[in-house]
Amino acid sequence: MASAIVAMIAANRLLTPSLISRGDGGGNPSPEVSDVLSWPKERVKEWLQEECGMSSSVAAKAFEAGVDGATLVELDAAAWNELGLESAVARARVIGKVRTRVMTGPDTSTQ
């Protein structure tokens, strides 16, 4: 079932302009956004567990469904629910973290 949602998202690849645009007038994503969009599913799984505190079972379902960076930015609450994230609050938190990561780039304060 999770692979069905990934296929649906891939078929409707419509990135929200406010999510990917840094307001440069050309609508071009920032380098940080491009970085997220190019993440392989392994990097997404790692990020979900380390940065979002997601359970290994939900992160594994995302991995098994082939959620890469381009798909990650498209997942909505229904998609996260289908992947096993049952709490509406947890779904909102993950969506917010994805949005923040896309808009601000990686946290370099500790690097």
Side-chain angles (χ1 to χ4, degrees), residues 7 14 16 18-19 21 25-27 31 34 36-37 40-41 51 56 68 85 92 94 100 105:
L14 298 173
T16 306
S18 62
L19 184 61
S21 177
S34 297
V36 172
L37 295 177
K41 64 183 186 174
E51 300 298 323
S56 59
D68 58 10
L85 198 56
V94 170
T100 298

Side-chain angles (χ1 to χ4, degrees), residues 11-83:
N12 295 311
R13 183 74 64 197
L14 298 173
L15 297 177
T16 306
S18 62
L19 184 61
I20 66 166
S21 177
R22 295 296 288 259
D24 67 353
N28 297 319
S30 70
E32 293 87 2
V33 172
S34 297
D35 180 47
V36 172
L37 295 177
S38 67
W39 284 358
K41 64 183 186 174
E42 295 82 5
R43 174 69 178 107
V44 170
K45 181 181 176 187
E46 174 185 293
W47 185 82
L48 290 171
Q49 290 179 288
E50 293 178 5
E51 300 298 323
C52 297
M54 187 171 287
S55 72
S56 59
S57 64
V58 175
K61 285 182 184 178
F63 176 85
E64 291 165 8
V67 176
D68 58 10
T71 305
L72 177 67
V73 301
E74 295 291 333
L75 296 181
D76 61 8
W80 284 113
N81 189 47
E82 187 170 319
L83 289 169

